[in-house]
PDB file of all heavy atoms in Angstrom:
ATOM      1  N   MET U 134      88.335 144.058   1.397  1.00 63.00           N
ATOM      2  CA  MET U 134      87.347 144.835   0.822  1.00 63.00           C
ATOM      3  C   MET U 134      86.761 145.983   1.771  1.00 63.00           C
ATOM      4  O   MET U 134      85.803 146.698   1.243  1.00 63.00           O
ATOM      5  CB  MET U 134      86.286 144.076  -0.043  1.00 63.00           C
ATOM      6  CG  MET U 134      86.904 143.199  -0.998  1.00 63.00           C
ATOM      7  SD  MET U 134      88.048 144.074  -2.323  1.00 63.00           S
ATOM      8  CE  MET U 134      86.978 145.200  -3.092  1.00 63.00           C
ATOM      9  N   LEU U 135      86.949 145.892   2.924  1.00 62.00           N
ATOM     10  CA  LEU U 135      86.369 146.686   3.828  1.00 62.00           C
ATOM     11  C   LEU U 135      87.349 147.861   4.248  1.00 62.00           C
ATOM     12  O   LEU U 135      86.944 148.800   5.051  1.00 62.00           O
ATOM     13  CB  LEU U 135      85.920 146.027   5.134  1.00 62.00           C
ATOM     14  CG  LEU U 135      84.774 144.978   4.965  1.00 62.00           C
ATOM     15  CD1 LEU U 135      84.484 144.362   6.341  1.00 62.00           C
ATOM     16  CD2 LEU U 135      83.588 145.663   4.418  1.00 62.00           C
ATOM     17  N   ASN U 136      88.604 147.832   3.881  1.00 65.00           N
ATOM     18  CA  ASN U 136      89.679 148.809   4.082  1.00 65.00           C
ATOM     19  C   ASN U 136      89.808 148.913   5.609  1.00 65.00           C
ATOM     20  O   ASN U 136      90.010 150.138   5.908  1.00 65.00           O
ATOM     21  CB  ASN U 136      89.282 150.124   3.484  1.00 65.00           C
ATOM     22  CG  ASN U 136      89.188 150.022   2.019  1.00 65.00           C
ATOM     23  OD1 ASN U 136      90.015 149.421   1.307  1.00 65.00           O
ATOM     24  ND2 ASN U 136      88.224 150.653   1.299  1.00 65.00           N
ATOM     25  N   ILE U 137      89.885 147.816   6.279  1.00 66.00           N
ATOM     26  CA  ILE U 137      90.187 148.091   7.765  1.00 66.00           C
ATOM     27  C   ILE U 137      91.227 147.207   8.176  1.00 66.00           C
ATOM     28  O   ILE U 137      91.414 146.569   9.262  1.00 66.00           O
ATOM     29  CB  ILE U 137      88.885 147.662   8.625  1.00 66.00           C
ATOM     30  CG1 ILE U 137      88.277 146.392   8.089  1.00 66.00           C
ATOM     31  CG2 ILE U 137      87.905 148.808   8.581  1.00 66.00           C
ATOM     32  CD1 ILE U 137      86.954 145.942   8.961  1.00 66.00           C
ATOM     33  N   GLY U 138      92.144 146.966   7.169  1.00 64.00           N
ATOM     34  CA  GLY U 138      93.609 146.346   7.588  1.00 64.00           C
ATOM     35  C   GLY U 138      93.339 145.008   7.944  1.00 64.00           C
ATOM     36  O   GLY U 138      92.714 144.050   7.431  1.00 64.00           O
ATOM     37  N   ASN U 139      94.042 144.684   9.221  1.00 69.00           N
ATOM     38  CA  ASN U 139      94.075 143.318   9.636  1.00 69.00           C
ATOM     39  C   ASN U 139      92.799 142.866  10.372  1.00 69.00           C
ATOM     40  O   ASN U 139      92.724 141.560  10.840  1.00 69.00           O
ATOM     41  CB  ASN U 139      95.361 142.968  10.502  1.00 69.00           C
ATOM     42  CG  ASN U 139      95.128 143.908  11.650  1.00 69.00           C
ATOM     43  OD1 ASN U 139      94.631 144.970  11.771  1.00 69.00           O
ATOM     44  ND2 ASN U 139      95.949 143.455  12.794  1.00 69.00           N
ATOM     45  N   PHE U 140      91.879 143.674  10.445  1.00 69.00           N
ATOM     46  CA  PHE U 140      90.616 143.174  11.081  1.00 69.00           C
ATOM     47  C   PHE U 140      89.522 142.859  10.090  1.00 69.00           C
ATOM     48  O   PHE U 140      89.389 143.506   9.182  1.00 69.00           O
ATOM     49  CB  PHE U 140      90.008 144.467  11.895  1.00 69.00           C
ATOM     50  CG  PHE U 140      90.884 144.858  13.045  1.00 69.00           C
ATOM     51  CD1 PHE U 140      91.737 146.025  12.847  1.00 69.00           C
ATOM     52  CD2 PHE U 140      91.170 144.124  14.242  1.00 69.00           C
ATOM     53  CE1 PHE U 140      92.599 146.300  13.925  1.00 69.00           C
ATOM     54  CE2 PHE U 140      91.996 144.517  15.254  1.00 69.00           C
ATOM     55  CZ  PHE U 140      92.747 145.711  14.975  1.00 69.00           C
ATOM     56  N   HIS U 141      88.875 141.655  10.277  1.00 73.00           N
ATOM     57  CA  HIS U 141      87.914 141.142   9.460  1.00 73.00           C
ATOM     58  C   HIS U 141      88.257 140.910   7.937  1.00 73.00           C
ATOM     59  O   HIS U 141      87.611 140.936   7.007  1.00 73.00           O
ATOM     60  CB  HIS U 141      86.685 142.057   9.436  1.00 73.00           C
ATOM     61  CG  HIS U 141      86.250 142.453  10.754  1.00 73.00           C
ATOM     62  ND1 HIS U 141      86.214 141.541  11.817  1.00 73.00           N
ATOM     63  CD2 HIS U 141      85.726 143.606  11.202  1.00 73.00           C
ATOM     64  CE1 HIS U 141      85.739 142.163  12.877  1.00 73.00           C
ATOM     65  NE2 HIS U 141      85.400 143.343  12.584  1.00 73.00           N
ATOM     66  N   SER U 142      89.596 140.685   7.728  1.00 72.00           N
ATOM     67  CA  SER U 142      90.160 140.552   6.382  1.00 72.00           C
ATOM     68  C   SER U 142      90.902 139.186   6.121  1.00 72.00           C
ATOM     69  O   SER U 142      91.313 138.944   5.008  1.00 72.00           O
ATOM     70  CB  SER U 142      91.141 141.696   6.117  1.00 72.00           C
ATOM     71  OG  SER U 142      90.390 142.916   6.224  1.00 72.00           O
ATOM     72  N   ASN U 143      91.145 138.278   7.138  1.00 76.00           N
ATOM     73  CA  ASN U 143      91.997 137.216   7.048  1.00 76.00           C
ATOM     74  C   ASN U 143      91.080 136.148   6.229  1.00 76.00           C
ATOM     75  O   ASN U 143      89.930 136.071   6.140  1.00 76.00           O
ATOM     76  CB  ASN U 143      92.214 136.630   8.322  1.00 76.00           C
ATOM     77  CG  ASN U 143      93.309 137.523   9.037  1.00 76.00           C
ATOM     78  OD1 ASN U 143      94.210 137.852   8.337  1.00 76.00           O
ATOM     79  ND2 ASN U 143      92.961 137.899  10.277  1.00 76.00           N
ATOM     80  N   CYS U 144      91.954 135.306   5.517  1.00 79.00           N
ATOM     81  CA  CYS U 144      91.431 134.197   4.731  1.00 79.00           C
ATOM     82  C   CYS U 144      92.023 132.745   5.305  1.00 79.00           C
ATOM     83  O   CYS U 144      93.187 132.668   5.404  1.00 79.00           O
ATOM     84  CB  CYS U 144      91.953 134.300   3.272  1.00 79.00           C
ATOM     85  SG  CYS U 144      91.432 135.803   2.486  1.00 79.00           S
ATOM     86  N   TRP U 145      91.046 131.944   5.901  1.00 82.00           N
ATOM     87  CA  TRP U 145      91.461 130.668   6.504  1.00 82.00           C
ATOM     88  C   TRP U 145      91.120 129.496   5.646  1.00 82.00           C
ATOM     89  O   TRP U 145      91.251 128.391   6.027  1.00 82.00           O
ATOM     90  CB  TRP U 145      90.687 130.661   7.949  1.00 82.00           C
ATOM     91  CG  TRP U 145      90.979 131.794   8.692  1.00 82.00           C
ATOM     92  CD1 TRP U 145      90.034 132.740   9.035  1.00 82.00           C
ATOM     93  CD2 TRP U 145      92.128 132.151   9.391  1.00 82.00           C
ATOM     94  NE1 TRP U 145      90.629 133.780   9.777  1.00 82.00           N
ATOM     95  CE2 TRP U 145      91.975 133.266  10.091  1.00 82.00           C
ATOM     96  CE3 TRP U 145      93.456 131.627   9.470  1.00 82.00           C
ATOM     97  CZ2 TRP U 145      92.967 133.932  10.750  1.00 82.00           C
ATOM     98  CZ3 TRP U 145      94.410 132.210  10.174  1.00 82.00           C
ATOM     99  CH2 TRP U 145      94.168 133.348  10.943  1.00 82.00           C
ATOM    100  N   GLU U 146      90.808 129.616   4.348  1.00 87.00           N
ATOM    101  CA  GLU U 146      90.300 128.591   3.638  1.00 87.00           C
ATOM    102  C   GLU U 146      91.554 127.568   3.522  1.00 87.00           C
ATOM    103  O   GLU U 146      91.299 126.337   3.431  1.00 87.00           O
ATOM    104  CB  GLU U 146      90.073 129.090   2.091  1.00 87.00           C
ATOM    105  CG  GLU U 146      88.945 129.947   2.020  1.00 87.00           C
ATOM    106  CD  GLU U 146      89.334 131.435   2.196  1.00 87.00           C
ATOM    107  OE1 GLU U 146      90.593 131.617   2.144  1.00 87.00           O
ATOM    108  OE2 GLU U 146      88.415 132.265   2.288  1.00 87.00           O
ATOM    109  N   ASN U 147      92.725 127.904   3.399  1.00 88.00           N
ATOM    110  CA  ASN U 147      93.855 126.993   3.288  1.00 88.00           C
ATOM    111  C   ASN U 147      94.026 126.136   4.539  1.00 88.00           C
ATOM    112  O   ASN U 147      94.376 124.975   4.348  1.00 88.00           O
ATOM    113  CB  ASN U 147      95.200 127.666   3.060  1.00 88.00           C
ATOM    114  CG  ASN U 147      95.521 128.734   4.154  1.00 88.00           C
ATOM    115  OD1 ASN U 147      94.779 129.189   4.758  1.00 88.00           O
ATOM    116  ND2 ASN U 147      96.815 129.053   4.309  1.00 88.00           N
ATOM    117  N   TRP U 148      93.580 126.554   5.759  1.00 89.00           N
ATOM    118  CA  TRP U 148      93.657 125.728   6.861  1.00 89.00           C
ATOM    119  C   TRP U 148      92.611 124.528   6.623  1.00 89.00           C
ATOM    120  O   TRP U 148      92.888 123.333   6.814  1.00 89.00           O
ATOM    121  CB  TRP U 148      93.168 126.429   8.001  1.00 89.00           C
ATOM    122  CG  TRP U 148      94.245 127.379   8.648  1.00 89.00           C
ATOM    123  CD1 TRP U 148      95.382 127.892   8.066  1.00 89.00           C
ATOM    124  CD2 TRP U 148      94.197 128.049   9.929  1.00 89.00           C
ATOM    125  NE1 TRP U 148      96.128 128.778   8.921  1.00 89.00           N
ATOM    126  CE2 TRP U 148      95.301 128.820  10.024  1.00 89.00           C
ATOM    127  CE3 TRP U 148      93.339 128.040  11.037  1.00 89.00           C
ATOM    128  CZ2 TRP U 148      95.516 129.594  11.193  1.00 89.00           C
ATOM    129  CZ3 TRP U 148      93.505 128.733  12.150  1.00 89.00           C
ATOM    130  CH2 TRP U 148      94.632 129.527  12.226  1.00 89.00           C
TER     131      TRP U 148
END
Side-chain angles (χ1 to χ4, degrees):
M134 303 307 295
L135 295 177
N136 298 320
I137 51 178
N139 63 335
F140 298 101
H141 309 327
S142 302
N143 289 310
C144 301
W145 304 108
E146 300 86 10
N147 58 333
W148 285 13

